[in-house]
Amino acid sequence: MSYHLKRLTAPTSWQIAKKEETFITKTCPGPHRSGALPVAVWLRDKMGLAGNMKEVKRILGQRQIIVNGKAVTNPKIGLGIFDIISIPKMDKHYRILMNKAGRLVSIEIDAEAAKTRLCKIADKTTVKGGKVQLNLLYGANVLADNTYKPKDSIVLTLEGEERFTIVDHYPFAVGNMAMVIGGQHSGRIGKITEIRVSPGSTPNRIALEDENAVAFETIEENVFMIGREASAVAEWGIEA
């Protein structure tokens, strides 16, 4: 496995300058896929809060960057869609989203919005004692009852003793709102109008309709539930 990544081959979702230098920080194994944006790249190249890797490591070493309620010290840890980043020293909070060009964007939010995170349920298992464990898309696990199903989304608290408490639930179902997080329709939001179950290993197809009544389709894997009759997040930062 290579520990290096050339800027020219970096994921387009990062939206970074390709020819300033030869190499860029590579994402380490962690809560997201390899295409996730490393914290170092977010701090230095996206937000301009650090000038070089030495400054990045100093900021992280002082535990000034909080991701999903926990201080991050590894500059290679990846940031993915719906992650919540807080910088207490600056009283700034951000949500990572995806625009219509399929690129990761940082949307500033208020402190209240930063107290919760939207999570997709990737799977669920039964653990010791017969308890149900929800395996979330970004790597975390949470104990819950049997109400929730894979492909549903839940809203988790991120602070205090009640951290990882489920405060809301958006089922994967026709009529509910979803966001596409992969493929040619990345970043689009729409209401699910049909779930087409395909035979064998062929991915299930999901038909959606946006606010302008324009229909589009994607595969099941790319669907992330974001609300019921309406989107649960007021500002998405979607760009043309």
Side-chain angles (χ1 to χ4, degrees):
M1 181 181 70
S2 172
Y3 293 97
H4 306 285
L5 178 68
K6 288 190 175 181
R7 281 179 174 263
L8 287 173
T9 59
T12 56
S13 62
W14 293 9
Q15 200 175 2
I16 57 172
K18 296 286 188 177
K19 297 182 179 180
E20 287 185 351
E21 297 178 10
T22 302
F23 294 99
I24 190 72
T25 304
K26 185 177 182 180
T27 309
C28 71
H32 297 286
R33 299 173 182 174
S34 59
L37 182 70
V39 171
V41 177
W42 185 81
L43 277 171
R44 183 187 59 205
D45 300 76
K46 301 287 287 183
M47 305 301 293
L49 298 175
N52 50 49
M53 183 59 79
K54 183 177 180 180
E55 292 181 5
V56 168
K57 291 181 178 179
R58 183 185 299 121
I59 293 170
L60 297 181
Q62 294 172 355
R63 306 179 73 82
Q64 295 184 33
I65 305 299
I66 310 298
V67 178
N68 298 325
K70 186 177 180 180
V72 171
T73 57
N74 185 348
K76 295 184 177 182
I77 284 291
L79 301 173
I81 190 167
F82 294 112
D83 275 347
I84 301 294
I85 307 169
S86 297
I87 310 175
K89 195 172 184 179
M90 298 173 61
D91 193 25
K92 295 284 188 180
H93 308 273
Y94 302 90
R95 178 185 290 114
I96 302 296
L97 293 175
M98 183 174 287
N99 65 16
K100 290 182 180 178
R103 293 170 177 152
L104 296 173
V105 292
S106 304
I107 304 302
E108 188 168 352
I109 57 177
D110 58 32
E112 188 63 28
K115 292 180 179 179
T116 57
R117 185 196 192 280
L118 188 63
C119 310
K120 181 177 179 179
I121 302 173
D123 196 5
K124 69 177 182 179
T125 53
T126 301
V127 296
K128 188 176 180 179
K131 297 179 180 179
V132 175
Q133 176 178 275
L134 305 180
N135 310 124
L136 306 179
L137 189 63
Y138 80 104
N141 301 314
V142 61
L143 295 177
D145 56 41
N146 210 26
T147 303
Y148 313 98
K149 299 178 181 179
K151 299 184 285 293
D152 290 357
S153 289
I154 55 175
V155 179
L156 292 180
T157 56
L158 298 176
E159 297 183 347
E161 296 181 359
E162 300 299 319
R163 186 169 187 257
F164 275 32
T165 297
I166 299 174
V167 293
D168 213 338
H169 172 219
Y170 309 124
F172 173 70
V174 171
N176 287 349
M177 297 296 294
M179 184 178 190
V180 181
I181 60 171
Q184 71 178 100
H185 296 298
S186 291
R188 295 186 69 178
I189 294 173
K191 181 173 291 187
I192 295 179
T193 57
E194 186 180 359
I195 300 173
R196 300 171 186 159
V197 179
S198 303
S201 60
T202 305
N204 295 338
R205 304 288 299 181
I206 309 300
L208 302 99
E209 187 176 274
D210 65 19
E211 59 181 3
N212 298 316
V214 176
F216 60 99
E217 286 189 14
T218 188
I219 60 174
E220 187 177 76
E221 181 184 3
N222 293 338
V223 170
F224 199 122
M225 304 310 299
I226 60 171
R228 295 187 179 89
E229 292 79 13
S231 169
V233 180
E235 183 180 5
W236 289 100
I238 302 302
E239 300 174 356

